[in-house]
Amino acid sequence: MAIERSQVEDIIKAVGGKDNIEASTHCVTRLRFALYDDKLVDKDALEQNDLVKGQFSSQGQYQVVIGPGLVDKVYNEMISITGGSRASKDDVKNAASKKQNPIQRAIKTLADIFIPILPAIVTAGLLLGINNILTGKGIFFEGMALVQVYPQWTDFAAIINTIASTAFAFLPALIGWSAVVRFGGSPLLGIVLGLILVHPDLLSAYGYADAVTKGTVPVWNLFGWEVNKIGYQGQVLPVLVSAYVLAQIEKFLNKKIADSFKLLLVAPITLLITGFLAFTVIGPVTFMIGNAITSGLVYVFDWAPAVGGLIYGGLYSLLVITGMHHTFLAVDVQLIGTQGGTFLWPMLALSNIAQGAGALAMMLVLKEQKGKGLALTSSVSAFLGVTEPAIFGVNIRYKYPFVFGMIGSGIAGILLTVNHVMASSIGVGGIPGFLSIFPNNWGVFFIGMAIVLIVPFTLTFMYGKLLNKRRQTPATPANDSVRKDSGRRYSALDVLEVKTPVLGHVVPLEQVPDPAFAERQMGHGIAVEPKAGKILAPFSGKVIHIMMKSKHALILEHPTGVQILVHVGINTVSLKGEGFTIHVETDQTVKQGQLLMEFDRDLIQKSGYPIITPVIVPDGQSMIKSVEELPGEADDLQYTLMRIHLNSSSGHRN
């Protein structure tokens, strides 16, 4: 697709003009701006620009989706027009972060720390849910647990409980690892720090209250200074603050100590100083602060449970939009550690379902097939506990399903808090969230689940149909991906089968945690959750573009002229090529199954980036009539990922 200078000028004008651009760069699909004032952006003008496939703001960056291949030309033309300098991804990221206030930066820091350890927490939550089913009284037998009726299951349940509770018992080690990485220290020292804080020689934090009552709290006597000899199980603040201190001490020592002595001196000195500070100052102070916060929150919900349920249950979806929901992961962990359960997580689970119900209703309200498909798949994702596709892809766009979702979850929140519904673990949201709930609370929780399914769905459906009737919107064709040419439809089809470029679980694009992909702003396609670290050619053709600096994405072209983009991970451009190895060159001809790229799955995940890999058929390819996506399990390289139906006029046969 050719670009006109006037179109690029219109993009510059729409983002507030060149004087509003602090820094700009691009990745393989979109322009990324750090703007002085986002309020100057003319979204309608961008929407009407033929070059623009989509737009959104994320973490202080305004992102304008152009599409693979074309974005390079648009960016070059933009630099030529503005006379600005080319910026790196980090330049834009740093410029964008300056616009965040201290609270936003703190929230982002907490998100960066807790997101990498979520898989362990989710796994622990699921397993504890299974243990709850086996050991909960009254589930299968009146007044008795399954393990009481069938004692042979007792040890089986005990093993599950041991496996499940490990992540929570040693949570400070997980937090220590992730926090020290975030603060720029050595991951191994973070793990050791977390383990130090839960050492078996220490009085468990769970037994501290009883020990205080009995006057049996053990102490260290440091030359007359008595320090409580207690651990910090279930505590978040002590390990977070200690991890920050450790990282700063380590970085300081690395600058001051010669390389030949670093191995012998840096780690021991760092751990020794941090350990003493953790037990003597940091731990006692943050322990009191954490308990005070928890006690205050519990008091508020005990004093006015209905108000608390209405506010937290109703507004939780707003927290997701702002990113503040990650902050409450720490609160949930603290509540479980000090109170034995959390009353916040049940409301989160029902909020997930409420937004999913709103999105599901939109499938019946919307008339275009693309919107219906997005509504269906994103609602399923929300029912399973991941609401971002439903919120950003459907509900926020139309507003009223989002509002009705909040109304439903607010009503359910009142029900849960008034009846003191608690979760024994976190990590499992949506419909499977009942596994985290104490079994004696299941009845009330399921009533709440019915509320968040019925209320948002019914209100959204009725209001949406009313709007459609008022607007008298004409029906659109059944398949919006079927293209017309010169007023006639093509009936004869050629089919290009695209094999999987990587082994793994194949899912719809709506499950990709990035609106540019999830909303299909760049084109049709599908995504793979990789089980291997190799990208292979999905068909025989030519490599026409490689992101050489970041190495995370490339574009292939089939002899028919069809192009596809393979994009490994989300925001992996920030790794600057680390963990990626390219085995081909631009303009190189390749055969189906040939190795194109290798990537380090563990490094990407440890860096906090999703490894899900979108495979996109960019819009604007006139030879394509429709794209058939085939989710499933890609266990071998002969798995057909997509079937691309070609117009008969393309003159090619596959």
Side-chain angles (χ1 to χ4, degrees):
M1 176 180 175
I3 64 171
E4 298 180 7
R5 187 180 178 91
S6 61
Q7 291 176 307
V8 181
E9 290 174 340
D10 288 342
I11 291 176
I12 297 170
K13 182 179 179 181
V15 297
K18 67 178 183 179
D19 292 336
N20 193 40
I21 302 173
E22 183 177 2
S24 66
T25 186
H26 74 94
C27 60
V28 72
T29 58
R30 68 199 77 172
L31 300 172
R32 295 171 179 256
F33 295 98
L35 302 175
Y36 288 108
D37 187 355
D38 285 0
K39 295 178 181 178
L40 298 180
V41 175
D42 187 340
K43 295 181 180 180
D44 292 335
L46 285 174
E47 196 75 33
Q48 295 168 10
N49 194 305
D50 291 338
L51 292 177
V52 177
K53 304 294 190 302
Q55 56 182 299
F56 60 94
S57 180
S58 175
Q59 296 181 351
Q61 296 182 31
Y62 203 88
Q63 303 185 27
V64 178
V65 181
I66 303 296
L70 193 61
V71 70
D72 303 59
K73 300 175 184 178
V74 173
Y75 182 72
N76 290 335
E77 187 68 25
M78 185 183 74
I79 293 298
S80 172
I81 294 171
T82 62
S85 59
R86 297 174 182 272
S88 68
K89 310 295 186 303
D90 283 343
D91 291 335
V92 174
K93 194 173 181 180
N94 292 334
S97 65
K98 295 176 184 175
K99 297 162 56 178
Q100 296 180 322
N101 59 47
I103 294 177
Q104 291 174 319
R105 288 196 291 270
I107 291 170
K108 183 180 182 301
T109 298
L110 282 175
D112 292 342
I113 291 170
F114 278 94
I115 288 175
I117 65 175
L118 270 182
I121 295 175
V122 171
T123 300
L126 281 169
L127 293 176
L128 283 173
I130 296 173
N131 180 70
N132 287 344
I133 292 175
L134 295 174
T135 60
K137 294 182 179 180
I139 299 177
F140 302 104
F141 306 98
E142 186 175 354
M144 298 185 70
L146 186 145
V147 294
Q148 291 175 307
V149 178
Y150 298 104
Q152 60 268 33
W153 285 90
T154 301
D155 289 340
F156 180 78
I159 292 175
I160 291 178
N161 184 61
T162 299
I163 297 171
S165 60
T166 296
F168 289 107
F170 295 99
L171 188 62
L174 298 178
I175 297 175
W177 160 74
S178 189
V180 169
V181 169
R182 172 62 180 80
F183 297 135
S186 299
L188 183 59
L189 293 184
I191 295 173
V192 175
L193 172 65
L195 293 174
I196 288 172
L197 296 179
V198 292
H199 194 283
D201 284 351
L202 305 172
L203 170 68
S204 172
Y206 301 127
Y208 177 69
D210 287 341
V212 170
T213 302
K214 298 175 182 177
T216 58
V217 177
V219 296
W220 283 299
N221 192 312
L222 302 179
F223 309 102
W225 179 20
E226 290 190 344
V227 177
N228 286 342
K229 188 179 177 181
I230 62 171
Y232 294 97
Q233 291 85 352
Q235 299 288 318
V236 174
L237 285 179
V239 67
L240 282 179
V241 177
S242 297
Y244 176 79
V245 171
L246 181 144
Q248 302 311 309
I249 293 174
E250 184 189 7
K251 287 189 287 188
F252 174 80
L253 293 176
N254 275 324
K255 291 178 182 179
K256 299 298 182 181
I257 295 177
D259 291 345
S260 55
F261 294 101
K262 283 182 179 179
L263 182 62
L264 292 174
L265 298 177
V266 173
I269 295 174
T270 300
L271 278 176
L272 190 64
I273 295 175
T274 307
F276 265 91
L277 289 174
F279 287 122
T280 58
V281 180
I282 297 172
V285 172
T286 54
F287 185 78
M288 287 190 296
I289 293 173
N291 285 337
I293 293 172
T294 304
S295 298
L297 193 62
V298 170
Y299 174 79
V300 170
F301 275 81
D302 284 342
W303 175 66
V307 175
L310 176 64
I311 293 175
Y312 190 80
L315 300 183
Y316 181 79
S317 297
L318 284 177
L319 297 178
V320 174
I321 294 176
T322 62
M324 289 182 65
H325 63 302
H326 295 300
T327 306
F328 286 89
L329 286 172
V331 179
D332 278 308
V333 171
Q334 184 79 15
L335 284 169
I336 292 172
T338 58
Q339 304 294 318
T342 171
F343 47 80
L344 297 179
W345 192 264
M347 289 184 279
L348 172 150
L350 294 190
S351 177
N352 295 158
I353 300 172
Q355 291 300 321
L360 184 62
M362 291 302 293
M363 183 189 70
L364 303 178
V365 171
L366 297 173
K367 295 184 178 296
E368 74 276 12
Q369 286 299 111
K370 182 177 178 180
K372 285 179 175 289
L374 177 58
L376 175 61
T377 53
S378 63
S379 67
V380 172
S381 174
F383 290 150
L384 295 177
V386 180
T387 55
E388 281 81 356
I391 289 177
F392 293 107
V394 180
N395 296 354
I396 283 294
R397 180 183 298 181
Y398 297 98
K399 296 183 179 63
Y400 62 90
F402 182 74
V403 173
F404 292 144
M406 288 197 298
I407 291 173
S409 58
I411 296 171
I414 295 173
L415 176 72
L416 296 186
T417 51
V418 168
N419 289 278
H420 306 291
V421 174
M422 303 274 281
S424 60
S425 61
I426 63 173
V428 185
I431 292 175
F434 80 91
L435 293 171
S436 297
I437 308 301
F438 285 108
N440 61 316
N441 295 146
W442 279 5
V444 177
F445 185 78
F446 286 140
I447 294 173
M449 190 181 293
I451 291 172
V452 294
L453 282 169
I454 295 171
V455 172
F457 182 89
T458 303
L459 292 177
T460 300
F461 177 77
M462 293 176 63
Y463 186 74
K465 287 296 185 182
L466 179 63
L467 285 182
N468 285 345
K469 187 175 181 180
R470 287 179 179 175
R471 294 168 181 167
Q472 296 182 339
T473 306
T476 57
N479 187 350
D480 70 338
S481 64
V482 176
R483 304 180 185 278
K484 293 183 178 180
D485 185 64
S486 302
R488 69 182 180 88
R489 288 184 182 273
Y490 294 107
S491 57
L493 293 176
D494 295 330
V495 179
L496 166 60
E497 288 199 344
V498 179
K499 303 298 183 182
T500 183
V502 60
L503 301 180
H505 180 56
V506 185
V507 298
L509 277 183
E510 287 74 19
Q511 294 190 23
V512 178
D514 183 304
F517 293 113
E519 297 177 14
R520 300 174 184 265
Q521 294 177 358
M522 292 175 291
H524 291 275
I526 204 161
V528 185
E529 296 174 345
K531 295 179 181 177
K534 294 182 178 181
I535 298 295
L536 306 162
F539 51 62
S540 297
K542 180 187 290 186
V543 180
I544 64 170
H545 184 76
I546 299 172
M547 290 293 290
M548 292 307 300
K549 290 185 178 180
S550 59
K551 304 178 184 178
H552 74 295
L554 48 81
I555 301 174
L556 297 179
E557 184 176 86
H558 189 265
T560 59
V562 172
Q563 297 178 358
I564 68 164
L565 162 70
V566 181
H567 190 289
V568 179
I570 303 302
N571 289 325
T572 44
V573 64
S574 300
L575 291 174
K576 302 179 183 178
E578 184 181 2
F580 293 91
T581 304
I582 297 291
H583 292 281
V584 291
E585 298 177 351
T586 303
D587 294 329
Q588 180 177 336
T589 300
V590 297
K591 294 183 178 180
Q592 193 261 320
Q594 181 174 335
L595 181 63
L596 305 178
M597 174 202 304
E598 290 183 278
F599 58 94
D600 189 331
R601 295 172 69 252
D602 292 337
L603 185 146
I604 294 172
Q605 289 178 312
K606 288 179 181 177
S607 300
Y609 301 107
I611 61 170
I612 191 168
T613 299
V615 182
I616 303 295
V617 182
D619 280 338
Q621 301 185 57
S622 60
M623 76 289 294
I624 296 176
K625 186 174 185 181
S626 64
V627 178
E628 182 183 355
E629 304 157 10
L630 304 170
E633 292 295 330
D635 293 327
D636 61 67
L637 296 178
Q638 295 307 308
Y639 181 89
T640 300
L641 197 69
M642 295 182 286
R643 292 191 184 98
I644 300 177
H645 299 267
L646 306 176
N647 290 322
S648 59
S649 63
S650 63
H652 295 282
R653 294 278 176 185
N654 182 42

